Amino acid sequence: MKELISAAETARILSISVASVRNWMKAGRLRGIRYGRTLVFDRAEVEALKEALASGRAERLRSRRNKTAADGAFVPAGYVRTKNYERLARYAAEIAADRLDPRLALLELALKLLVSRGHLAARPDPGGASLAERFLDGRLDARGFAPLLAGLCGRGGEDEAREDGLPPLDADARRALRELARLPVVYVEGDDLLGLVHLSLARLRRRKQTGAYYTPSAIVESLVDDALGGWPEDAGLPLVIDPCCGSGNILIRVYLALKRRLTARGFSAREADRMLRERGALAGFDIDGTAVQLARLNLALLAEPERSGMPAGFPIRRQDALLAPEPLPEPGRYDLVIGNPPWGYRFAPEEAERFKRRFRTAASFGPESFGLFIEAGLSMLKDGGLLAYVLPESLLTVDRHAESRRLVAEQTAMLGITLAGSPFAGVSSPAVTLTLRKRPPEPGHAVIVRDGRGRADAIPQRRFRTNPGCAFNVRAADAEQAVLERMRAAPGVWQLKDRCDFALGIVTGDNRTHVREFPDGQAPEGWEPVLRGADVSAYHVRRSGRYIRFTPDRYQQTAPEPLYRAPEKLIYRFISADLVFAYDDRQRLTLNSANLIIPRAPGYRMKYVLAALNSRPVRFYHAYAHASVKVLRRHIESLPIPACPPEEQDRIAALVDRLIACGEPDGRRELYEAIDRRIMALYGLKDAEQRLVAERIGPPATLCRLEP
C-alpha cells in the first residue's frame, strides 16, 4: 500500500521549496495525486528521486534544488578530464563521509599516486593495512616526500603548524582507510585527483561564503594557452604565480606547457623538469592550508622519478595575497599572473575598511574579491608582464565593477576576452577569461573577443574607455557598434533620465505569508490582484491568480502608493535579458520582479514611449550596450528614444491600441512589425542597418502569449 505524503514533506525530503515541488510536477518530473484540493505524493517515489539526485542520475534537477540546502558532498563535473577520477572522487567522498578526517582520505590517495607514479615503492601489507596507516605508524618509508605528507596531516612545518593535527586513528577510521586502499588509483599526468577529492569533501556552503570555486579543465587549458600565447618562445622561462592557487590545477597545466616548450628545444624531460625547478618558475599563494599542501604534492608528482627522492619544490605558500603587509607580495617580480580568483568573498567589516584604504577598486562600492585580485595581480607583474584570469561575466557591464574596468582599460593593453558561458556544474554563473598586458594601450589597440561558437572580433579598446560606466560591451562588433552610435546621434533623440518616475514592485519579505492564490478568482474583500515579472508580456499583462492585501507597513519595501495607482503606467520585467514592457491603466500592484515607470516627457504620449521601448532598435541597443540579465533603472534612463512629431505619435499609439486589443497571434505580429518599421524610420537607420537589427533581434518572445 502506498504511503502518501504532503507537498511540504516532499519538499523537505528533496531539499526544495513547495513551489518547486509544484513546478516539478507540472514538468512531469514528479507525479502528484489530488484529493480534492490537497496535493499528495507517493513516499517511495519521492525517496527514489532523492536517491537519483544524490547519485547524480538526475543532474538537471539537482541544479535547481534549493541552494541553501545543498550542503553536502559535491563532485564538480569537468574539473578533470579523466572520467574515472570523477567516479573515484565520488567513491572516496562516500567512504570518508562522517567517518574520516578529509586529510586522511587525501593522505591515502596521495600515497597511492606517489606509488603509481614511481616515486615510492610499497608492497601489500600482510595485515591489510592501508598506506596511510603504515605511514602514520612509521612503517612506510616515504623518502623525501615525508615532510609534504606530514604537512598534509598538520604535523609541523612552516605554515602547516596552523592546521589542527589529526586525531588518533580509531577502528572505524582504519576500516575507511582500508576501503580507500582498495580503490584502483592510477596516476594521470595533468589531472588533479587530489584537488577533486578535496573539493568533493568540502562543504558547498563554505565554498560559497569564501567565494572559492573550482576551475573546469577545459577553462584551465584555454586560459593557459591564451596566457602563454602572449609569451614568446624565445623569451626564456617566465616567472609565473597563481595568487589563489588552490590545489594547483592551473599551475599543473602551466608546468606541462613550459616543459613541452623546453623538450621541443631539445632538452630531455628530466632536464626540463630540473630547469623549471632550479629556476623556481612557478609560485603560488592560497589561504587554504590543505590546498597548499596538495598543490606542493601535485607539483612534486609531476617530476620525473629519481633515486634521490623528492625533487626540489616550487615556492607555494599559505598566504593571503590581499592581506599581506605592505607592499603587496613581491611587487613587480613576475612575468605572468594567472588564476581563478574568488568571486563574491564575504569580507569581515574590518577587512573591507582596510581594502577601501588600500585598493582603488574598493573605493566606490566596497571590495569585490575578484576586483581586488585584478589590482593585486597587476602590482605583482613586471612592466610588460601578462595577467590571465577567469572572471565572472558581470565584470563586463555591472555598475559595481566600473572601477575595475577603468583600471584595466586605462592602464593595460587588453589582449583577449573569451565568453565562456556557464562552465560550472550546478551553478549558473557565466564566466569570461581575460588576458592583458601591463602597459598602457596604443591608440589603435584592439581586443580580440571570442564567443563559444568560434566567432572572433577585434574591438578597439578605446571604445570601452568612452562607454558609459566604461562598459565592456564585447558582444557589439563594428557593425553593431555603428548602429548604437547612429541611434545615439539621431536628430532630437532624448532619454528618460529626469523625464519619468520609477517605482520598484513590493518587497513583502515573505511572499508565502502575504501573497495568496485564489484559483476560482473569488478573492475575499480587501484582497486585490498583484503582478509578478512572469505575468508581464510585450504590451500585455495577464491575470496572475495571485492576490495581496495592500498594507504597506507590513512589508519590507514599497513605492509610494500614488505611483501604483497612477491612471496609466508602464510595467516591465526586472529579471530579463530582453526589454519587456506592458501598459496598465487599472492601477494594479506589482511584486519586485515587476517594476514600473511613468514617463513624464512633455509632448510625448505614454503609448508612444511603450512602442519605442518594445521596438527592435531599442531592444537591440539594450542587448549590445548593456548585456545584462537585469533591466536596471540606469539602463532604461540611458536608452535613446527617437524624436517623433505629434501626428506620427498618434498613428503609432493607434497601432498600439489595436495590438493590445488584438487576440489573434498573426494579427499581433503584423501590428508589431508595422510599429517597428515606423520606429526604425525615426532613427534614420539605413536599409543595411535595419536588416542587421532585424537579424539580431526578433519579435518579443512574449508577444503572442495571450492568456487572459
Side-chain angles (χ1 to χ4, degrees):
M1 183 175 180
K2 291 182 178 179
E3 179 186 357
L4 301 179
I5 58 176
S6 67
E9 177 64 6
T10 299
R12 186 193 66 77
I13 292 172
L14 296 175
S15 297
I16 59 176
S17 68
V18 173
S20 293
V21 168
R22 295 193 185 98
N23 290 337
W24 289 14
M25 189 186 76
K26 291 175 184 176
R29 297 160 183 149
L30 268 173
R31 287 195 305 169
I33 304 167
R34 288 199 176 274
Y35 281 82
R37 293 188 178 182
T38 304
L39 185 63
V40 295
F41 299 84
D42 180 356
R43 179 183 286 278
E45 290 185 8
V46 173
E47 293 288 355
L49 179 56
K50 177 185 177 182
E51 193 279 329
L53 287 165
S55 66
R57 296 197 303 273
E59 193 65 34
R60 281 183 59 207
L61 292 184
R62 183 207 304 272
S63 68
R64 299 182 62 172
R65 297 171 74 191
N66 187 326
K67 296 297 188 292
T68 62
D71 191 27
F74 171 74
V75 178
Y79 179 77
V80 294
R81 295 167 298 179
T82 309
K83 288 299 180 184
N84 188 50
Y85 272 9
E86 292 184 6
R87 290 190 288 271
L88 282 172
R90 186 168 289 112
Y91 295 149
E94 291 172 358
I95 292 168
D98 302 321
R99 301 171 60 193
L100 205 57
D101 186 298
R103 289 170 295 172
L104 282 172
L106 293 167
L107 174 64
E108 177 64 25
L109 295 174
L111 284 162
K112 290 175 75 67
L113 288 170
L114 287 166
V115 171
S116 174
R117 175 66 168 146
H119 286 300
L120 298 180
R123 295 180 179 179
D125 184 72
S130 66
L131 294 172
E133 289 176 273
R134 292 153 64 186
F135 174 76
L136 293 172
D137 293 341
R139 296 188 292 115
L140 177 67
D141 180 12
R143 305 169 66 196
F145 294 91
L148 277 184
L149 297 166
L152 179 60
C153 303
R155 294 183 172 183
E158 178 182 344
D159 48 21
E160 297 75 22
R162 303 180 209 173
E163 297 282 357
D164 295 331
L166 289 171
L169 290 178
D170 59 20
D172 194 38
R174 289 183 182 273
R175 282 193 295 270
L177 283 172
R178 293 181 186 194
E179 289 180 47
L180 285 173
R182 290 193 289 271
L183 294 179
V185 176
V186 177
Y187 175 75
V188 177
E189 185 176 75
D191 265 349
D192 177 16
L193 174 62
L194 297 176
L196 180 65
V197 174
H198 182 47
L199 288 167
S200 302
L201 291 171
R203 288 292 195 187
L204 180 61
R205 184 177 299 162
R206 179 176 178 274
R207 292 206 304 275
K208 287 186 175 183
Q209 289 171 342
T210 60
Y213 219 73
Y214 71 98
T215 315
S217 175
I219 298 293
V220 174
E221 292 175 359
S222 174
L223 186 73
V224 172
D225 287 347
D226 288 346
L228 293 181
W231 187 259
E233 294 272 357
D234 58 356
L237 288 175
L239 288 177
V240 181
I241 187 168
D242 183 342
C244 37
C245 66
S247 56
N249 64 327
I250 293 176
L251 292 176
I252 289 171
R253 302 299 172 85
V254 173
Y255 168 93
L256 291 173
L258 293 177
K259 186 177 178 180
R260 284 194 297 271
R261 286 193 175 191
L262 291 171
T263 55
R265 289 162 53 184
F267 295 100
S268 69
R270 197 175 302 279
E271 289 171 332
D273 177 67
R274 188 175 294 114
M275 291 173 66
L276 287 166
R277 294 176 188 278
E278 290 176 353
R279 165 85 161 152
L282 307 181
F285 300 146
D286 206 274
I287 61 174
D288 181 340
T290 298
V292 166
Q293 289 298 334
L294 296 180
R296 294 171 178 170
L297 279 163
N298 276 324
L299 293 172
L301 279 162
L302 287 166
E304 299 296 321
E306 295 190 14
R307 294 180 183 178
S308 58
M310 191 183 80
F314 294 104
I316 311 295
R317 301 205 299 270
R318 185 180 184 185
Q319 180 173 323
D320 191 327
L322 302 178
L323 289 175
E326 297 278 5
L328 289 168
E330 307 178 50
R333 176 182 178 188
Y334 295 97
D335 301 299
L336 169 61
V337 175
I338 189 170
N340 178 9
W343 310 353
Y345 187 99
R346 299 178 187 176
F347 294 109
E350 60 274 11
E351 289 180 322
E353 287 304 314
R354 182 177 177 181
F355 289 144
K356 286 181 181 179
R357 295 191 299 269
R358 185 173 183 180
F359 290 96
R360 162 183 168 177
T361 55
S364 300
F365 290 90
E368 162 52 60
S369 49
F370 71 78
L372 303 184
F373 271 95
I374 291 173
E375 196 168 346
L378 288 173
S379 77
M380 298 179 195
L381 280 176
K382 298 175 181 177
D383 290 339
L386 298 167
L387 182 144
Y389 276 168
V390 181
L391 298 164
E393 191 174 300
S394 61
L395 166 71
L396 303 180
T397 56
V398 171
D399 282 357
R400 183 180 182 188
H401 313 313
E403 197 58 33
S404 294
R405 292 193 294 272
R406 288 192 186 93
L407 174 69
V408 168
E410 294 170 1
Q411 297 188 10
T412 78
M414 301 165 65
L415 303 181
I417 297 174
T418 299
L419 303 173
S422 297
F424 307 107
V427 178
S428 179
S429 295
V432 299
T433 60
L434 170 66
T435 309
L436 53 85
R437 191 178 297 281
K438 185 181 177 179
R439 70 180 180 206
E442 298 292 332
H445 181 74
V447 185
I448 304 301
V449 177
R450 298 181 178 85
D451 63 15
R453 300 183 298 275
R455 176 180 170 182
D457 293 306
I459 296 178
Q461 186 169 324
R462 65 177 180 275
R463 180 216 293 179
F464 297 157
R465 298 200 301 273
T466 59
N467 279 341
C470 202
F472 294 176
N473 58 329
V474 298
R475 287 178 171 82
D478 288 347
E480 289 86 1
Q481 183 68 13
V483 173
L484 300 183
E485 292 175 358
R486 181 177 293 277
M487 290 176 65
R488 285 196 287 257
V493 72
W494 58 280
Q495 297 175 327
L496 284 164
K497 184 174 175 61
D498 300 325
R499 293 186 176 94
C500 68
D501 295 327
F502 276 82
L504 300 177
I506 299 165
V507 181
T508 68
D510 184 0
N511 284 353
R512 287 179 295 181
T513 298
H514 297 292
V515 180
R516 304 274 182 89
E517 292 185 56
F518 300 105
D520 56 4
Q522 301 299 313
E525 185 177 352
W527 291 79
E528 60 181 302
V530 64
L531 303 173
R532 307 161 302 157
D535 302 321
V536 181
S537 302
Y539 291 101
H540 180 71
V541 176
R542 71 171 183 173
R543 186 181 302 143
S544 73
R546 288 166 174 79
Y547 295 80
I548 195 169
R549 188 190 297 272
F550 189 59
T551 51
D553 292 345
R554 300 177 61 197
Y555 307 142
Q556 285 186 2
Q557 179 179 304
T558 68
E561 186 173 0
L563 295 179
Y564 298 126
R565 308 303 189 187
E568 58 176 355
K569 63 179 182 286
L570 304 182
I571 303 174
Y572 65 94
R573 288 190 182 190
F574 173 54
I575 306 296
S576 177
D578 196 5
L579 297 179
V580 181
F581 283 81
Y583 178 79
D584 177 59
D585 59 359
R586 302 183 190 178
Q587 296 79 54
R588 284 176 280 201
L589 300 172
T590 69
L591 295 175
N592 60 318
S593 57
N595 298 336
L596 61 95
I597 65 169
I598 303 173
R600 301 195 186 281
Y604 284 93
R605 299 180 56 164
M606 187 173 295
K607 287 181 180 176
Y608 166 70
V609 176
L610 171 65
L613 293 173
N614 278 330
S615 71
R616 276 192 179 92
V618 174
R619 292 166 51 226
F620 176 95
Y621 188 96
H622 175 71
Y624 285 98
H626 302 143
S628 173
V629 296
K630 294 181 180 178
V631 180
L632 303 177
R633 174 175 177 168
R634 175 179 67 81
H635 294 161
I636 295 174
E637 289 181 329
S638 67
L639 295 169
I641 308 297
C644 185
E647 60 275 13
E648 179 65 359
Q649 287 189 58
D650 291 343
R651 286 188 283 268
I652 291 174
L655 290 171
V656 169
D657 284 334
R658 290 173 57 192
L659 193 158
I660 291 173
C662 182
E664 197 273 316
D666 288 342
R668 290 174 66 85
R669 192 174 292 109
E670 289 177 8
L671 288 164
Y672 178 85
E673 298 293 352
I675 294 170
D676 213 52
R677 287 191 291 272
R678 292 180 177 275
I679 301 293
M680 290 267 204
L682 291 173
Y683 282 108
L685 296 178
K686 299 177 181 178
D687 290 346
E689 292 170 331
Q690 292 191 29
R691 286 195 297 271
L692 176 68
V693 171
E695 287 170 4
R696 298 285 189 268
I697 305 293
T702 60
L703 180 67
C704 297
R705 208 175 70 180
L706 301 175
E707 298 97 319

